[in-house]
Amino acid sequence: MPSRIKVANPNRCIGCYSCMLACSRTNADSVSLIDSAIDIRTSGGIESGLQIIVCRSCIDPPCARACPTGALTPRNGGGVVLKNELCDSCKVCADACLPRAIHFDREDMPVICIHCGTCARFCSHDVLEMIKTEVL
Amino acid sequence: MWSNVLYIDLETGEHKIRDRSDLFDKYIGGTGVATQLLLEECPPHTDPLSPEAPIIFSIGPLTPIFPCVSKAVAMFKSPQTGELGESYAGGRLAMAMRFAGYDSIVIKGRAPKPSYLSIHDEEVKCKDATSIWNVSSIEVIGKILRDVEPGKGRRSIMRIGEAGVKGVSYANVNVDTYRHFGRLGLGAVFGSKNLKAIVISGTEEVEIPDMDAYKNMYKKLYEAVVDTEVMNKYHDLGTAANINVLNQLKGLPTKNLKQSSFENAESLSGEYFADNLLLRKIACSNCPIGCIHIAMLKTPFHKGHEFEVNHISYDYELIYSLGTNLGITLAEDVLRLIDRCERYGLDVMSTGGVLAWATEAYERDLITPPDTLGIALRWGDTDNYLKIIDRIVKMPNKFYETLAKGTAAASAEYGGEDFAINLGRLEIAGYHTGPASIVGQLVGVRHSHLDNGGYSIDQKAASQQLTEEQMVDKLIYEDYGRNINNSLIACLFARGVYSEDNIVDALASVGINKTKDELATIGREIFLAKYRFKKQEGFDLGDVKVPARFFETVSQMGNIKKETIANMIQLYREKTGV
Ligand code: SF4
Ligand code: SF4
Ligand code: SF4
Ligand code: SF4
C-alpha cells in the first residue's frame, strides 16, 4: 500500500523548520528553505500562528490536469510525480493548487513533494505523519 | 560563503560587501569574528551613542546547518556599562542572515532622518521611518512593517520601542516579537543612530562539501537534542521551573535581594504559569526544542465582558526580576509588568533591578515623593510600578532620567550603593547561589550569568565541596569554552549536545578542520580580545565593587564572605592574566 504525508496535528507546530531543512537536505542535497516541498510560514508574525503548507495528495490532481506539457502525472496513492525533462517552468501548476503547495527553486523548477516521509521523521512535535492510503 | 561582511553607513545610506575570510578562518564566526570587528570599528573611548559607534551582528559557520544553531550575536559599546556590549538573540534572525548571504553586518553612522534598514538578499536599502518613529508599541511596529516589506513568512524583523528612541540605557532590541537583544542597551544605540528597525530575509542556499557526512552528523545531533532530557527541561516548564527550585535552595533573589527565598514563590512558579496561563510554545528557527513559552493574559477593560488579550512570553529571569524581586504575589501581575516593558522595548532584568533598588531607596527616604512625582514605591504594588515604568521611558524629571541609566548610576546620585544590586554596572540575573555566581558575573566579559554559568558551578560546589581555586578553574574553562559555542552560534541551552567532540565533528562535516586544542586556544584568544576592548574602555577587574547586600543575605551556599570573593578574583586574574 502506498503512503502519503499528512498534516495530522497542525496546532502542535512550534515553527522550528526542522521539517523544511530535512526535506531540502534529503531531496535536494542542500541547506535551504526554498528547496523544501513542505513550507512552514507565519502570516502576521509569529504571534498569529503557523501555516503548514504541503501537498494534500489529490487523487485527481488539478496541478497535473493543468500542466500543459505532461510533466506532472498522478502518483499512485495521491499527489503527483514530476518529470523534470518535460517541465518548462511555466508555473501553471502552482495556480491550480489551492493549498499553494507548489513553489519554485532558484532554477525555477517546481519543488514537488514525493511523499517520502522524511519531514515527519524530523518533526519532534507530532505535527506530521505518514499514513497508508487506500488507493492502489 | 562563510565570510561575507555587509558594511552599512547610515549617514549616506551606502553599503558594501567585503570578504573577510581572514577573520572567519581564524576566529570561526559569531562572537569570535564580531569581537575583532568591534576592535576594528570602535576607536578607544567612542561615545556609545555617537555616529562613530558601530553595531555589529554576526552568525556562525554552522548557522542554520545543525539543530539549535539558532542565535545571532550583537556587539557594540554598551551605553549602560560603558564597555563591552554583547547580546544574543534567537527568533528567525540567524537563519534570515544566513539565507540573505551575510555572516556579519556592520552598521555605522547616524541616519539624517528616522530610518529603517530593508535587507533582502543583495538588495540593501535605508528607508524612511518617520511615520513609525513615534509608534511606541513593539508589536504594532512589527505589524506595520510586515505589510510593506517583502519576505513574508520567514523574514526577521528587529525593532526598537520608545525606550530605545528616548535613549534609556537598558533599552532592548526586539527580534520577531518574542526574542530580544535584551541586555546592555543595544536599543539605545539603535535610537542614537535614528535606526528604528531592520527587516531581513533571503533565498540563498548553503552548499555542503560532503553531503553524506553532513547528513549523518545532522542526524546524530538532532537525535541528541530531541532524545535527551535537555529538550524536556526547556520544553516542559521551561526555565520558569527554576522558581520553585531556587526558592527551596535559598538562591532566589527577592525584594531587592533582602531575601533569597519568597513566601509567595509557589504562586509565581513555572508550574503555576504552565497550568494556568500558558497558551503555547514556539521555537527559534532551526531549533526542535521549542522553549519559548507564551502566556495569555486576559484583562477586563470595561463592563460587559470586554477583554484585552495579550500574548506574552515569559522565562525564569523575567519572573524573578519583575516578580519575586519586587514582592509581586500574582503571576498575572508579573505578566502585566512584563507586557509593559515589552511594549516599550525595555530590558526586563535591568528594569526589575532598577525598580527594586528604587523601592528600597524609597523605604529609606533616600528618594521622596517630590522625586517620584508623588508615586509611592511599595513591594508588590503593581499599579504603581506600571506608572514608574511609564515615567522611566518618558523621563519627566531628573530622578526618572537617572533611573533610565540603571541602578549603578541611580545609586551614585541618590545613595544606597550597598543595596544597588549590580555587578559591573549591570543588574544581576536571578541567582543568589554562592560565590561563583557573583564572581562569574563580575569577571564575565559581558557581566552575564551565561558568560560562564557561575550559578551552576555553585550548585556543583555545594554537592562536591569544591575549593575556591577549583571554582575559579571551572569559571575560566567556561569563559573560554563558551566563546566557541558562541562563535558557531549554538544556543547555550543545547550546550550539553555541543560538546567539544561534537563541535569538532560538526565543523569537520562541513569542511572546517580544527582540533580540540586549536578550538581551546581560539576560545581563549577571543576571551582575551574582549578583555582588550574592556580595558581600553576603562574596565579594571582590580577595581570592581560588590554591594554589601550580597554578603548580608544568605545564599544557597550559606553566607558569602568578602574574602572569598576577593580571593577568587585574585586567582582569576593570575590564571587568565586579565
Ligand atoms: S511549471 Fe512545469 S510542472 Fe508546472 S505546469 Fe508548468 S510545465 Fe507543468
Ligand atoms: S500539489 Fe497541490 S494540486 Fe497537486 S496533488 Fe498536491 S495538493 Fe493536489
Ligand atoms: S514527504 Fe518528503 S518530499 Fe514531501 S515534504 Fe516531506 S520530506 Fe519533503
Ligand atoms: S518540524 Fe514539526 S514542529 Fe517543526 S516546523 Fe515542521 S511541522 Fe512544525
Side-chain angles (χ1 to χ4, degrees):
Chain A
M1 240 192 295
S3 304
R4 69 171 183 91
I5 192 78
K6 178 179 163 63
V7 184
N9 302 298
N11 293 336
R12 294 185 193 173
C13 179
I14 59 168
C16 67
Y17 305 132
S18 299
C19 52
M20 295 185 70
L21 292 166
C23 183
S24 50
R25 184 171 66 244
T26 311
N27 298 321
D29 276 350
S30 74
V31 177
S32 114
L33 295 179
I34 61 166
D35 290 341
S36 166
I38 183 169
D39 191 4
I40 305 294
R41 52 172 58 225
T42 51
S43 56
I46 194 84
E47 60 266 40
S48 309
L50 293 142
Q51 276 176 281
I52 298 145
I53 302 166
V54 67
C55 175
R56 299 293 169 155
S57 329
C58 306
I59 299 302
D60 174 19
C63 55
R65 274 185 268 134
C67 174
T69 67
L72 291 176
T73 48
R75 172 184 167 273
N76 189 6
V80 281
V81 177
L82 172 71
K83 289 197 190 73
N84 272 311
E85 61 285 4
L86 294 181
C87 174
D88 65 4
S89 300
C90 69
K91 302 192 178 176
V92 170
C93 52
D95 283 337
C97 172
L98 283 186
R100 292 291 182 262
I102 301 181
H103 55 266
F104 294 82
D105 69 13
R106 287 173 81 82
E107 270 79 54
D108 258 351
M109 286 302 284
V111 182
I112 300 286
C113 174
I114 59 170
H115 297 273
C116 64
T118 308
C119 53
R121 280 202 301 283
F122 283 92
C123 175
S124 54
H125 289 79
D126 307 323
V127 176
L128 306 166
E129 262 174 24
M130 282 302 276
I131 57 162
K132 299 270 182 242
T133 49
E134 304 293 313
V135 191
L136 285 175
Chain B
M1 66 158 310
W2 314 136
S3 50
N4 284 334
V5 181
L6 171 65
Y7 291 82
I8 300 171
D9 181 356
L10 292 171
E11 207 80 46
T12 59
E14 280 166 11
H15 71 274
K16 58 176 190 257
I17 298 163
R18 285 175 62 195
D19 173 59
R20 293 302 306 269
S21 31
D22 57 327
L23 295 183
F24 282 89
D25 289 349
K26 194 152 175 220
Y27 297 104
I28 302 173
T31 196
V33 168
T35 302
Q36 298 300 320
L37 290 169
L38 182 69
L39 284 162
E40 284 178 12
E41 299 289 338
C42 192
H45 312 300
T46 303
D47 174 352
L49 301 181
S50 68
E52 291 72 39
I55 298 171
I56 294 151
F57 297 108
S58 200
I59 55 172
L62 302 185
T63 312
I65 292 172
F66 287 111
C68 300
V69 182
S70 53
K71 297 268 175 169
V73 65
M75 295 195 72
F76 51 100
K77 183 171 170 183
S78 166
Q80 192 175 2
T81 63
E83 38 123 341
L84 186 81
E86 178 183 354
S87 186
Y88 292 81
R92 302 161 163 178
L93 175 59
M95 186 184 263
M97 277 178 72
R98 165 61 66 228
F99 290 134
Y102 305 111
D103 301 272
S104 300
I105 301 174
V106 176
I107 300 168
K108 292 189 79 167
R110 173 183 286 141
K113 277 200 168 52
S115 301
Y116 76 96
L117 286 168
S118 163
I119 303 172
H120 303 284
D121 288 317
E122 45 290 308
E123 192 180 295
V124 179
K125 285 196 178 131
C126 190
K127 297 184 178 174
D128 187 288
T130 313
S131 52
I132 55 169
W133 186 246
N134 290 318
V135 174
S136 63
S137 157
I138 287 283
E139 202 181 326
V140 174
I141 297 158
K143 284 191 175 138
I144 292 170
L145 287 173
R146 263 176 230 129
D147 267 352
V148 296
E149 281 291 313
K152 191 171 179 305
R154 286 184 301 268
R155 64 198 155 189
S156 180
I157 305 182
M158 288 182 253
R159 63 270 195 186
I160 57 166
E162 200 173 341
V165 166
K166 294 270 167 60
V168 177
S169 75
Y170 42 94
N172 69 23
V173 172
N174 180 290
V175 180
D176 304 327
T177 310
Y178 296 127
R179 300 287 90 183
H180 317 82
F181 288 113
R183 311 228 67 195
L184 294 162
L186 183 63
V189 182
F190 265 55
S192 75
K193 296 189 166 326
N194 267 335
L195 179 60
K196 182 76 173 176
I198 303 178
V199 186
I200 180 160
S201 76
T203 55
E204 291 284 331
E205 295 166 23
V206 181
E207 302 277 333
I208 302 286
D210 178 350
M211 218 44 213
D212 287 338
Y214 165 57
K215 284 178 193 169
N216 287 335
M217 193 64 206
Y218 187 98
K219 193 157 178 285
K220 180 175 167 192
L221 292 174
Y222 178 87
E223 281 166 3
V225 171
V226 301
D227 292 345
T228 55
E229 96 309 341
V230 174
M231 167 129 161
N232 265 337
K233 179 166 140 207
Y234 291 111
H235 183 72
D236 181 355
L237 295 179
T239 54
N242 274 334
I243 292 281
N244 274 345
V245 175
L246 284 159
N247 186 51
Q248 270 153 27
L249 296 170
K250 292 205 179 326
L252 176 65
T254 300
K255 296 185 187 165
N256 202 38
L257 197 53
K258 285 189 192 190
Q259 304 164 208
S260 52
S261 59
F262 186 34
E263 50 285 9
N264 291 304
E266 193 57 49
S267 61
L268 302 187
S269 65
E271 290 79 355
Y272 181 89
F273 271 87
D275 288 341
N276 299 286
L277 295 160
L278 179 63
L279 174 67
R280 63 192 182 110
K281 298 170 203 169
I282 50 175
C284 296
S285 299
N286 187 33
C287 170
I289 297 176
C291 76
I292 308 172
H293 286 58
I294 311 284
M296 186 177 84
L297 180 67
K298 217 171 128 184
T299 318
F301 65 91
H302 213 284
K303 288 198 190 77
H305 295 90
E306 295 271 31
F307 292 105
E308 183 181 331
V309 177
N310 287 305
H311 296 178
I312 302 157
S313 69
Y314 66 88
D315 255 309
Y316 168 70
E317 301 295 347
L318 283 61
I319 303 173
Y320 133 72
S321 51
L322 291 175
T324 64
N325 210 28
L326 300 179
I328 305 288
T329 53
L330 292 176
E332 291 76 4
D333 279 346
V334 176
L335 288 176
R336 287 165 68 202
L337 290 163
I338 295 174
D339 188 47
R340 189 64 58 95
C341 288
E342 286 283 29
R343 207 175 294 187
Y344 285 129
L346 282 169
D347 176 43
V348 167
M349 285 158 80
S350 283
T351 306
V354 166
L355 293 174
W357 169 83
T359 307
E360 192 167 344
Y362 191 87
E363 271 182 347
R364 296 167 180 244
D365 293 329
L366 295 175
I367 54 179
T368 56
D371 295 317
T372 65
L373 302 173
I375 304 164
L377 280 141
R378 285 182 294 248
W379 303 117
D381 187 341
T382 305
D383 288 335
N384 279 4
Y385 283 135
L386 290 169
K387 288 181 192 153
I388 303 275
I389 293 172
D390 291 342
R391 282 159 186 76
I392 288 174
V393 175
K394 314 273 181 203
M395 300 184 220
N397 68 3
K398 184 177 142 260
F399 170 68
Y400 287 106
E401 273 170 34
T402 315
L403 280 193
K405 296 191 174 96
T407 40
S411 60
E413 183 74 31
Y414 292 90
E417 285 171 300
D418 284 350
F419 56 85
I421 307 304
N422 71 89
L423 292 169
R425 300 184 70 80
L426 186 66
E427 290 71 24
I428 64 161
Y431 302 92
H432 191 49
T433 46
S437 168
I438 296 172
V439 174
Q441 289 176 82
L442 271 176
V443 300
V445 286
R446 56 191 162 117
H447 305 298
S448 161
H449 61 300
L450 293 172
D451 280 324
N452 43 42
Y455 58 98
S456 84
I457 295 172
D458 281 328
Q459 271 145 14
K460 280 191 199 94
S463 61
Q464 299 167 14
Q465 300 290 325
L466 299 182
T467 64
E468 288 169 11
E469 182 164 2
Q470 285 169 321
M471 286 194 275
V472 169
D473 287 340
K474 284 192 187 296
L475 284 172
I476 295 171
Y477 175 77
E478 295 293 329
D479 271 318
Y480 293 170
R482 289 181 184 209
N483 276 313
I484 298 300
N485 297 74
N486 288 340
S487 295
L488 299 177
I489 305 172
C491 178
L492 287 174
F493 287 173
R495 64 188 175 277
V497 172
Y498 285 88
S499 61
E500 289 175 13
D501 287 322
N502 279 344
I503 291 175
V504 169
D505 293 348
L507 286 170
S509 77
V510 298
I512 301 172
N513 293 304
K514 304 263 186 213
T515 63
K516 263 206 257 188
D517 286 346
E518 282 167 341
L519 289 175
T521 307
I522 296 168
R524 179 165 172 275
E525 277 174 24
I526 297 169
F527 169 85
L528 291 174
K530 288 179 185 178
Y531 255 91
R532 265 208 307 288
F533 183 83
K534 290 165 74 70
K535 285 183 178 168
Q536 163 191 307
E537 302 309 318
F539 178 74
D540 178 3
L541 199 43
D543 183 32
V544 285
K545 289 194 200 77
V546 180
R549 176 62 48 81
F550 283 94
F551 306 110
E552 293 158 6
T553 302
V554 67
S555 80
Q556 181 185 340
M557 288 179 68
N559 275 89
I560 302 161
K561 292 198 186 65
K562 259 194 177 141
E563 305 75 68
T564 306
I565 302 294
N567 185 39
M568 284 175 68
I569 292 177
Q570 187 53 36
L571 282 167
Y572 188 90
R573 298 188 68 194
E574 281 161 19
K575 286 170 185 267
T576 57
V578 298

